Amino acid sequence: MKTKGTLIAFVIVLLFSALPSMSQNLTPPKDGAAIRLASNKIEVSSGGEVSTDVWLVKSKRYVSREFGGLQAKAPQGIEISFEPKDANKDVFSMHVKADNTVAKGKFTVVIKGEGKNSQKVTSSVISLIIGDGTVAGTEQD
């Protein structure tokens, strides 16, 4: 019976050690803060809108410091906005909206800090893919 308990404990430890690798990388930087996303590839249809979470992960030295918001410069016809998602302002909801005039293609967008202590925020690069909302000629819902 002792073996069965050891096996169960081993499975539980294995499960919990695998969970962080399945989620976003929230490893703190050595200094300042870093912008982290669940995925560095975002797809949106022309005329569509998507949202995703963005984390501002702070180093030990900066854990109690306040930072300003986030900003991204996008090509014409694409609007990217950020709004704090929690009370401590370390999680943001990023909204990406592409109007109907945006051509299909792949764009590189840099997300960086804005305002207070922004010089200490390590930027993040995302690949923004604009599509037509179809897969093999079938409209996506």
Side-chain angles (χ1 to χ4, degrees):
M1 290 301 149
K2 189 175 184 180
T3 306
K4 185 177 180 181
T6 304
L7 180 62
I8 292 172
F10 176 74
V11 170
I12 291 172
V13 169
L14 187 62
L15 176 65
F16 281 108
S17 65
L19 285 176
S21 65
M22 292 187 281
S23 63
Q24 68 283 350
N25 174 12
L26 296 180
T27 306
K30 293 182 194 259
D31 191 35
I35 298 167
R36 306 277 198 237
L37 292 97
S39 174
N40 287 349
K41 181 176 129 181
I42 296 176
E43 297 181 42
V44 62
S45 300
S46 183
E49 185 173 349
V50 296
S51 295
T52 189
D53 289 342
V54 179
W55 291 264
L56 184 64
V57 182
K58 300 175 185 177
S59 67
K60 287 182 183 180
R61 182 175 169 198
Y62 284 84
V63 74
S64 63
R65 294 233 183 134
E66 288 187 35
F67 288 86
L70 300 178
Q71 64 178 343
K73 188 172 183 177
Q76 188 172 355
I78 300 172
E79 181 184 321
I80 300 176
S81 61
F82 300 89
E83 63 183 63
K85 196 169 178 174
D86 66 2
N88 68 11
K89 299 182 181 179
D90 290 340
V91 181
F92 296 83
S93 185
M94 178 175 74
H95 307 284
V96 180
K97 185 176 184 178
D99 67 31
N100 290 327
T101 64
V102 177
K104 291 187 289 184
K106 185 176 177 181
F107 302 91
T108 300
V109 176
V110 177
I111 301 171
K112 60 184 185 174
E114 173 181 65
K116 191 172 188 175
N117 291 314
S118 62
Q119 74 281 5
K120 286 296 194 177
V121 177
T122 302
S123 300
S124 186
V125 177
I126 60 170
S127 179
L128 181 60
I129 300 166
I130 307 297
D132 62 2
T134 63
V135 175
T138 308
E139 282 284 327
Q140 288 182 343
D141 292 329

